[in-house]
Amino acid sequence: MGRRDAARERGSVVVEFALTIPTVMVLVLGGVDLGTMIATRHQLTNATNTATRAAALTWTLSETVIQTKIEQLFPREKCADLDVDVKRMTGIAPAAPADGVEALEVTTSCTLAEKAFFSLSGGKKVTVVASMPLPPP
């Protein structure tokens, strides 16, 4: 009787393992994927903020120059598509606290590149906005 119980117990352990391993794998891989997406957003935010500050301090308001600076600071392989929009604002805004103060607002959008083996975030768009007051000329 002892051998049959041990064999049944081993069989039930294998069934439990087979039922729980897909859930555990999805949770682990989803966590890795989410972490990668958050790290990419953080890197894009840093690149956009740095490029916006540099452009505001030097009065370089060209969209292509700002996009080039962002591409230098941000790993391009993480994005399938990188789009930069530059606006010059005057008036009350988060970056322009008083009337008449001009500000530069840069919006960067990145469509996340598809991953090879597992990705919940591939193809999703990450958008970051940075603004900086322009110094007096």
PDB file of all heavy atoms in Angstrom, residues 8 24 28 35 46 48-49 52 54-56 58 72 77 80 86 88 98 113 124 127 129-130 134-135:
ATOM      1  N   ARG A   8       1.017   7.849  -6.387  1.00  0.00           N
ATOM      2  CA  ARG A   8      -0.080   8.803  -6.571  1.00  0.00           C
ATOM      3  C   ARG A   8       0.346  10.219  -6.184  1.00  0.00           C
ATOM      4  O   ARG A   8      -0.005  11.193  -6.825  1.00  0.00           O
ATOM      5  CB  ARG A   8      -1.290   8.384  -5.744  1.00  0.00           C
ATOM      6  CG  ARG A   8      -2.035   7.230  -6.324  1.00  0.00           C
ATOM      7  CD  ARG A   8      -3.257   6.941  -5.510  1.00  0.00           C
ATOM      8  NE  ARG A   8      -3.901   5.741  -6.015  1.00  0.00           N
ATOM      9  CZ  ARG A   8      -4.698   4.985  -5.304  1.00  0.00           C
ATOM     10  NH1 ARG A   8      -4.969   5.300  -4.053  1.00  0.00           N
ATOM     11  NH2 ARG A   8      -5.249   3.915  -5.832  1.00  0.00           N
ATOM     12  N   VAL A  24       3.129  31.162 -13.353  1.00  0.00           N
ATOM     13  CA  VAL A  24       4.368  31.728 -12.809  1.00  0.00           C
ATOM     14  C   VAL A  24       5.205  32.340 -13.925  1.00  0.00           C
ATOM     15  O   VAL A  24       5.757  33.442 -13.777  1.00  0.00           O
ATOM     16  CB  VAL A  24       5.154  30.652 -12.027  1.00  0.00           C
ATOM     17  CG1 VAL A  24       6.538  31.158 -11.648  1.00  0.00           C
ATOM     18  CG2 VAL A  24       4.389  30.229 -10.790  1.00  0.00           C
ATOM     19  N   VAL A  28       6.400  36.255 -14.217  1.00  0.00           N
ATOM     20  CA  VAL A  28       7.810  36.624 -14.258  1.00  0.00           C
ATOM     21  C   VAL A  28       8.138  37.377 -15.542  1.00  0.00           C
ATOM     22  O   VAL A  28       8.744  38.454 -15.514  1.00  0.00           O
ATOM     23  CB  VAL A  28       8.706  35.370 -14.114  1.00  0.00           C
ATOM     24  CG1 VAL A  28      10.151  35.680 -14.444  1.00  0.00           C
ATOM     25  CG2 VAL A  28       8.597  34.816 -12.701  1.00  0.00           C
ATOM     26  N   GLY A  35       9.199  46.094 -16.405  1.00  0.00           N
ATOM     27  CA  GLY A  35      10.424  46.763 -15.984  1.00  0.00           C
ATOM     28  C   GLY A  35      11.178  47.364 -17.156  1.00  0.00           C
ATOM     29  O   GLY A  35      11.699  48.481 -17.072  1.00  0.00           O
ATOM     30  N   ASN A  46      14.693  61.314 -19.596  1.00  0.00           N
ATOM     31  CA  ASN A  46      15.984  61.967 -19.376  1.00  0.00           C
ATOM     32  C   ASN A  46      16.525  62.595 -20.653  1.00  0.00           C
ATOM     33  O   ASN A  46      17.025  63.728 -20.634  1.00  0.00           O
ATOM     34  CB  ASN A  46      16.999  60.976 -18.810  1.00  0.00           C
ATOM     35  CG  ASN A  46      16.764  60.684 -17.347  1.00  0.00           C
ATOM     36  OD1 ASN A  46      16.058  61.412 -16.663  1.00  0.00           O
ATOM     37  ND2 ASN A  46      17.352  59.603 -16.869  1.00  0.00           N
ATOM     38  N   THR A  48      14.832  63.588 -23.311  1.00  0.00           N
ATOM     39  CA  THR A  48      13.981  64.720 -23.697  1.00  0.00           C
ATOM     40  C   THR A  48      14.248  65.929 -22.812  1.00  0.00           C
ATOM     41  O   THR A  48      14.353  67.058 -23.298  1.00  0.00           O
ATOM     42  CB  THR A  48      12.496  64.318 -23.643  1.00  0.00           C
ATOM     43  OG1 THR A  48      12.295  63.187 -24.490  1.00  0.00           O
ATOM     44  CG2 THR A  48      11.595  65.441 -24.100  1.00  0.00           C
ATOM     45  N   ASN A  49      14.362  65.715 -21.501  1.00  0.00           N
ATOM     46  CA  ASN A  49      14.648  66.820 -20.593  1.00  0.00           C
ATOM     47  C   ASN A  49      15.999  67.466 -20.890  1.00  0.00           C
ATOM     48  O   ASN A  49      16.120  68.693 -20.922  1.00  0.00           O
ATOM     49  CB  ASN A  49      14.611  66.346 -19.134  1.00  0.00           C
ATOM     50  CG  ASN A  49      13.221  66.075 -18.635  1.00  0.00           C
ATOM     51  OD1 ASN A  49      12.238  66.546 -19.190  1.00  0.00           O
ATOM     52  ND2 ASN A  49      13.125  65.288 -17.571  1.00  0.00           N
ATOM     53  N   THR A  52      15.811  69.372 -24.216  1.00  0.00           N
ATOM     54  CA  THR A  52      14.989  70.581 -24.070  1.00  0.00           C
ATOM     55  C   THR A  52      15.766  71.664 -23.335  1.00  0.00           C
ATOM     56  O   THR A  52      15.758  72.829 -23.741  1.00  0.00           O
ATOM     57  CB  THR A  52      13.686  70.262 -23.310  1.00  0.00           C
ATOM     58  OG1 THR A  52      12.989  69.234 -24.013  1.00  0.00           O
ATOM     59  CG2 THR A  52      12.800  71.480 -23.177  1.00  0.00           C
ATOM     60  N   ALA A  54      19.083  71.991 -23.104  1.00  0.00           N
ATOM     61  CA  ALA A  54      20.164  72.465 -23.970  1.00  0.00           C
ATOM     62  C   ALA A  54      19.628  73.389 -25.057  1.00  0.00           C
ATOM     63  O   ALA A  54      20.232  74.425 -25.370  1.00  0.00           O
ATOM     64  CB  ALA A  54      20.896  71.280 -24.584  1.00  0.00           C
ATOM     65  N   ALA A  55      18.495  73.034 -25.638  1.00  0.00           N
ATOM     66  CA  ALA A  55      17.907  73.860 -26.702  1.00  0.00           C
ATOM     67  C   ALA A  55      17.427  75.199 -26.152  1.00  0.00           C
ATOM     68  O   ALA A  55      17.608  76.236 -26.796  1.00  0.00           O
ATOM     69  CB  ALA A  55      16.755  73.114 -27.362  1.00  0.00           C
ATOM     70  N   ALA A  56      16.834  75.209 -24.967  1.00  0.00           N
ATOM     71  CA  ALA A  56      16.340  76.456 -24.388  1.00  0.00           C
ATOM     72  C   ALA A  56      17.489  77.390 -24.032  1.00  0.00           C
ATOM     73  O   ALA A  56      17.409  78.597 -24.257  1.00  0.00           O
ATOM     74  CB  ALA A  56      15.495  76.165 -23.158  1.00  0.00           C
ATOM     75  N   THR A  58      20.418  77.600 -25.388  1.00  0.00           N
ATOM     76  CA  THR A  58      21.130  78.106 -26.565  1.00  0.00           C
ATOM     77  C   THR A  58      20.186  78.706 -27.601  1.00  0.00           C
ATOM     78  O   THR A  58      20.626  79.089 -28.676  1.00  0.00           O
ATOM     79  CB  THR A  58      21.936  76.977 -27.234  1.00  0.00           C
ATOM     80  OG1 THR A  58      21.038  75.940 -27.638  1.00  0.00           O
ATOM     81  CG2 THR A  58      22.988  76.414 -26.292  1.00  0.00           C
ATOM     82  N   GLN A  72      20.926  61.065 -29.819  1.00  0.00           N
ATOM     83  CA  GLN A  72      22.264  60.837 -29.286  1.00  0.00           C
ATOM     84  C   GLN A  72      22.206  60.305 -27.858  1.00  0.00           C
ATOM     85  O   GLN A  72      23.049  59.513 -27.451  1.00  0.00           O
ATOM     86  CB  GLN A  72      23.081  62.135 -29.300  1.00  0.00           C
ATOM     87  CG  GLN A  72      23.491  62.602 -30.668  1.00  0.00           C
ATOM     88  CD  GLN A  72      24.125  63.991 -30.629  1.00  0.00           C
ATOM     89  OE1 GLN A  72      24.131  64.663 -29.588  1.00  0.00           O
ATOM     90  NE2 GLN A  72      24.642  64.420 -31.763  1.00  0.00           N
ATOM     91  N   GLU A  77      17.541  51.673 -30.685  1.00  0.00           N
ATOM     92  CA  GLU A  77      17.007  50.327 -30.946  1.00  0.00           C
ATOM     93  C   GLU A  77      15.789  50.007 -30.090  1.00  0.00           C
ATOM     94  O   GLU A  77      15.066  49.057 -30.368  1.00  0.00           O
ATOM     95  CB  GLU A  77      18.087  49.255 -30.749  1.00  0.00           C
ATOM     96  CG  GLU A  77      18.593  49.104 -29.336  1.00  0.00           C
ATOM     97  CD  GLU A  77      19.739  50.049 -28.978  1.00  0.00           C
ATOM     98  OE1 GLU A  77      20.177  50.829 -29.829  1.00  0.00           O
ATOM     99  OE2 GLU A  77      20.181  50.003 -27.827  1.00  0.00           O
ATOM    100  N   ALA A  80      10.723  51.685 -32.364  1.00  0.00           N
ATOM    101  CA  ALA A  80      10.479  51.412 -33.781  1.00  0.00           C
ATOM    102  C   ALA A  80      10.267  52.727 -34.516  1.00  0.00           C
ATOM    103  O   ALA A  80      10.579  52.863 -35.685  1.00  0.00           O
ATOM    104  CB  ALA A  80       9.269  50.499 -33.938  1.00  0.00           C
ATOM    105  N   VAL A  86       8.095  70.173 -31.386  1.00  0.00           N
ATOM    106  CA  VAL A  86       8.620  71.314 -30.642  1.00  0.00           C
ATOM    107  C   VAL A  86       7.632  72.470 -30.751  1.00  0.00           C
ATOM    108  O   VAL A  86       7.177  72.797 -31.842  1.00  0.00           O
ATOM    109  CB  VAL A  86      10.002  71.740 -31.187  1.00  0.00           C
ATOM    110  CG1 VAL A  86      10.507  72.968 -30.460  1.00  0.00           C
ATOM    111  CG2 VAL A  86      10.991  70.598 -31.076  1.00  0.00           C
ATOM    112  N   ARG A  88       6.878  76.569 -29.226  1.00  0.00           N
ATOM    113  CA  ARG A  88       7.316  77.744 -28.489  1.00  0.00           C
ATOM    114  C   ARG A  88       6.062  78.383 -27.909  1.00  0.00           C
ATOM    115  O   ARG A  88       5.140  78.726 -28.644  1.00  0.00           O
ATOM    116  CB  ARG A  88       8.039  78.690 -29.438  1.00  0.00           C
ATOM    117  CG  ARG A  88       8.669  79.849 -28.776  1.00  0.00           C
ATOM    118  CD  ARG A  88       9.490  80.612 -29.792  1.00  0.00           C
ATOM    119  NE  ARG A  88      10.019  81.818 -29.219  1.00  0.00           N
ATOM    120  CZ  ARG A  88      10.821  82.619 -29.854  1.00  0.00           C
ATOM    121  NH1 ARG A  88      11.186  82.344 -31.091  1.00  0.00           N
ATOM    122  NH2 ARG A  88      11.278  83.698 -29.277  1.00  0.00           N
ATOM    123  N   ALA A  98       4.817  83.102 -15.519  1.00  0.00           N
ATOM    124  CA  ALA A  98       4.257  84.460 -15.560  1.00  0.00           C
ATOM    125  C   ALA A  98       3.905  84.831 -16.990  1.00  0.00           C
ATOM    126  O   ALA A  98       4.465  84.288 -17.944  1.00  0.00           O
ATOM    127  CB  ALA A  98       5.278  85.447 -15.006  1.00  0.00           C
ATOM    128  N   ALA A 113       9.733  49.034 -29.688  1.00  0.00           N
ATOM    129  CA  ALA A 113      10.085  47.992 -30.651  1.00  0.00           C
ATOM    130  C   ALA A 113       9.580  46.641 -30.150  1.00  0.00           C
ATOM    131  O   ALA A 113       9.524  46.385 -28.951  1.00  0.00           O
ATOM    132  CB  ALA A 113      11.592  47.954 -30.857  1.00  0.00           C
ATOM    133  N   LYS A 124       3.502  49.451 -28.234  1.00  0.00           N
ATOM    134  CA  LYS A 124       2.823  50.491 -27.453  1.00  0.00           C
ATOM    135  C   LYS A 124       3.584  51.799 -27.572  1.00  0.00           C
ATOM    136  O   LYS A 124       4.783  51.833 -27.734  1.00  0.00           O
ATOM    137  CB  LYS A 124       2.728  50.070 -26.000  1.00  0.00           C
ATOM    138  CG  LYS A 124       1.842  48.869 -25.824  1.00  0.00           C
ATOM    139  CD  LYS A 124       1.166  48.874 -24.480  1.00  0.00           C
ATOM    140  CE  LYS A 124       0.090  47.840 -24.471  1.00  0.00           C
ATOM    141  NZ  LYS A 124       0.363  46.672 -23.748  1.00  0.00           N
ATOM    142  N   THR A 127       4.835  58.451 -24.538  1.00  0.00           N
ATOM    143  CA  THR A 127       4.941  59.874 -24.847  1.00  0.00           C
ATOM    144  C   THR A 127       5.437  60.621 -23.617  1.00  0.00           C
ATOM    145  O   THR A 127       4.955  60.399 -22.513  1.00  0.00           O
ATOM    146  CB  THR A 127       3.578  60.443 -25.288  1.00  0.00           C
ATOM    147  OG1 THR A 127       3.130  59.708 -26.430  1.00  0.00           O
ATOM    148  CG2 THR A 127       3.679  61.900 -25.651  1.00  0.00           C
ATOM    149  N   VAL A 129       6.630  64.634 -22.236  1.00  0.00           N
ATOM    150  CA  VAL A 129       6.599  66.078 -22.496  1.00  0.00           C
ATOM    151  C   VAL A 129       7.566  66.758 -21.539  1.00  0.00           C
ATOM    152  O   VAL A 129       7.545  66.501 -20.334  1.00  0.00           O
ATOM    153  CB  VAL A 129       5.180  66.651 -22.307  1.00  0.00           C
ATOM    154  CG1 VAL A 129       5.166  68.149 -22.541  1.00  0.00           C
ATOM    155  CG2 VAL A 129       4.192  65.957 -23.217  1.00  0.00           C
ATOM    156  N   ALA A 130       8.416  67.615 -22.089  1.00  0.00           N
ATOM    157  CA  ALA A 130       9.336  68.408 -21.268  1.00  0.00           C
ATOM    158  C   ALA A 130       9.198  69.863 -21.670  1.00  0.00           C
ATOM    159  O   ALA A 130       9.066  70.178 -22.845  1.00  0.00           O
ATOM    160  CB  ALA A 130      10.768  67.936 -21.485  1.00  0.00           C
ATOM    161  N   LEU A 134      12.459  79.848 -21.664  1.00  0.00           N
ATOM    162  CA  LEU A 134      13.535  80.390 -22.486  1.00  0.00           C
ATOM    163  C   LEU A 134      14.138  81.600 -21.771  1.00  0.00           C
ATOM    164  O   LEU A 134      13.408  82.452 -21.282  1.00  0.00           O
ATOM    165  CB  LEU A 134      13.016  80.811 -23.862  1.00  0.00           C
ATOM    166  CG  LEU A 134      12.538  79.658 -24.748  1.00  0.00           C
ATOM    167  CD1 LEU A 134      11.768  80.199 -25.945  1.00  0.00           C
ATOM    168  CD2 LEU A 134      13.699  78.810 -25.207  1.00  0.00           C
ATOM    169  N   PRO A 135      15.474  81.667 -21.694  1.00  0.00           N
ATOM    170  CA  PRO A 135      16.084  82.821 -21.047  1.00  0.00           C
ATOM    171  C   PRO A 135      15.891  84.071 -21.893  1.00  0.00           C
ATOM    172  O   PRO A 135      15.678  83.984 -23.112  1.00  0.00           O
ATOM    173  CB  PRO A 135      17.564  82.429 -20.954  1.00  0.00           C
ATOM    174  CG  PRO A 135      17.759  81.415 -22.022  1.00  0.00           C
ATOM    175  CD  PRO A 135      16.443  80.712 -22.197  1.00  0.00           C
TER     176      PRO A 135
END
